[in-house]
Amino acid sequence: MAEIETFSIIDLHPTPADMAAVVLRGLKQRPRQLPAWLLYDQQGSLLFDEICKQPEYTLKRTELELLQKHANSFCAQIPTNSLVLEFGAGSAEKVGPLLQALSNPAYIALDISARHLQEAGKRLQAKFASVPMQGICADYSRALELPLSAEWSQRLRLGFFPGSSLGNFEPAEASAFLMRLKQLLGPNGALLIGIDQPRPQAQLEAAYNDAAGFSAAFARNLLLRLQRDLNAEVDPWGFSYKAEWQSEQQRIAMALVSNGEQRLQLLGQEVIFKPGEILITEYSYKYSPKAFQSLAASAGWRSRQRHCDAADSYSLHLLV
Ligand code: AVI
């Protein structure tokens, strides 16, 4: 009988002191901007799951369909016994088709939200009882040493970076991140990555400002979490949410806009927002397949296989 595995987590989450330092640095920037990983505490991860269900936000559904359709052909290129490393696993709902198509895989889910990861990992483990799995709670955008057993270290690595989360990095950071992944995945490693493509402005702006208000709640949760986790003094309702397509940069910019003059206090430091001043919560860059392939090439990756959806809005790339 196959062994039944259990899902456990190694917790490498930044400490509150680290988080406070990152927040203060971001609040002093112009425009003020906080890193996207701060959006994902337990509450933020649940709100993001709701965004993914909204009719305007098609990204997750499109990607899942592509994965289900092409998992076998992607995985035919991946050796037996590979270790799948998923960056930003979230609810870990996308890796299923890969675990099904691969022969004798092991799986590591990295995510910044420990509780969300624990619950997602437990559900996935129940579905794939014989696949050895491990969760790591960490900010994967920083350089990372993986705490791997000797047996897992010997497996060839397949990186899995779905959801177009690469788009939440600035292009220079995205290139540096892809280079770091090359190191981490090793000389025979591969990377399966999902990339959202530019589309008409109205469609994109609606996707990031859904009628039900989950995108706005997701952004506002950033300030609520500063209150909860870092005892910041701030009025989250003193800000309105805005998402706009900036065609020159090929990105959606998401921001909280201060409704009036107001103060935010953290660790004895005060930040004054002027009326109309913005706090960027996130950018979401979009890449055509060609633009992405050239970014990947500049980081040392070669394209092995690519599939787009029928509407040509999203692409999955296998890089080696
Ligand atoms: C996770 N990431 C790829 C999402 C995106 O589309 O940029 C985050 C998001 N923020 C608001 N809506 C979606």
Side-chain angles (χ1 to χ4, degrees), residues 26 29-33 278-280 283:
Q29 251 173 254
R30 288 294 188 282
R32 305 184 199 279
Q33 181 181 357
I278 59 169
L279 167 63
I280 300 283
Y283 289 122

Side-chain angles (χ1 to χ4, degrees), residues 1-287:
M1 207 172 83
E3 202 178 325
I4 297 187
E5 305 282 348
T6 52
F7 187 82
S8 66
I9 285 195
I10 298 172
D11 195 348
L12 306 175
H13 193 283
T15 62
D18 276 352
M19 281 167 61
V22 164
V23 169
L24 284 171
R25 206 176 315 132
L27 288 175
K28 287 175 188 162
Q29 251 173 254
R30 288 294 188 282
R32 305 184 199 279
Q33 181 181 357
L34 296 181
W37 62 264
L38 277 169
L39 290 159
Y40 298 90
D41 63 347
Q42 169 74 355
Q43 192 58 24
S45 298
L46 291 173
L47 286 166
F48 181 62
D49 284 349
E50 290 305 319
I51 291 176
C52 291
K53 293 179 202 153
Q54 298 313 300
E56 299 94 331
Y57 192 81
T58 52
L59 192 158
K60 180 176 172 187
R61 293 185 290 277
T62 306
E63 182 171 58
L64 209 46
E65 267 174 39
L66 278 173
L67 279 166
Q68 278 154 352
K69 199 161 157 199
H70 301 292
N72 284 338
S73 111
F74 282 129
C75 291
Q77 320 268 340
I78 306 300
T80 241
N81 291 328
S82 285
L83 171 61
V84 181
L85 282 154
E86 181 173 2
F87 300 91
S91 293
E93 288 167 315
K94 294 175 185 162
V95 75
L98 301 184
L99 296 182
Q100 215 135 31
L102 289 167
S103 158
N104 200 27
Y107 172 63
I108 289 185
L110 289 115
D111 201 87
I112 190 66
S113 180
R115 258 176 67 194
H116 205 71
L117 182 58
Q118 183 67 61
E119 284 159 24
K122 258 168 65 186
R123 278 194 303 272
L124 193 72
Q125 188 72 85
K127 212 162 151 191
F128 295 92
S130 61
V131 176
M133 294 184 188
Q134 171 78 63
I136 300 180
C137 169
D139 167 16
Y140 61 78
S141 64
R142 296 188 198 180
L144 197 66
E145 285 247 341
L146 292 175
L148 293 187
S149 68
E151 196 264 308
W152 285 34
S153 302
Q154 281 161 19
R155 290 176 180 256
L156 287 183
R157 298 178 185 180
L158 169 65
F160 181 42
F161 195 29
S164 198
S165 296
L166 190 76
N168 298 129
F169 294 108
E170 302 276 352
E173 287 171 9
S175 168
F177 180 68
L178 289 173
M179 278 182 211
R180 257 205 320 281
L181 285 189
K182 266 215 103 234
Q183 290 288 321
L184 191 76
L185 298 172
N188 297 312
L191 175 63
L192 181 60
I193 183 166
I195 297 293
D196 200 19
Q197 300 179 187
R199 265 166 286 146
Q201 174 168 1
Q203 245 181 55
L204 280 167
E205 289 182 348
Y208 290 90
N209 202 354
D210 56 286
F214 286 105
S215 304
F218 179 62
R220 187 166 288 112
N221 179 60
L222 184 58
L223 298 181
L224 288 162
R225 106 164 275 198
L226 298 188
Q227 291 180 324
R228 281 193 298 266
D229 296 347
L230 302 176
N231 292 321
E233 281 181 37
V234 55
D235 173 17
W237 307 102
F239 292 82
S240 308
Y241 171 74
K242 181 173 98 174
E244 69 175 21
W245 174 245
Q246 299 178 332
S247 65
E248 198 181 318
Q249 295 91 346
Q250 297 281 282
R251 70 185 181 192
I252 284 279
M254 287 161 268
L256 290 168
V257 186
S258 184
N259 295 335
E261 178 164 313
Q262 55 186 322
R263 283 147 209 272
L264 181 156
Q265 288 179 351
L266 177 62
L267 286 183
Q269 299 201 40
E270 184 170 78
V271 175
I272 301 177
F273 282 88
K274 297 197 193 89
E277 192 172 349
I278 59 169
L279 167 63
I280 300 283
T281 55
E282 234 180 336
Y283 289 122
S284 191
Y285 283 82
K286 308 297 170 191
Y287 295 94

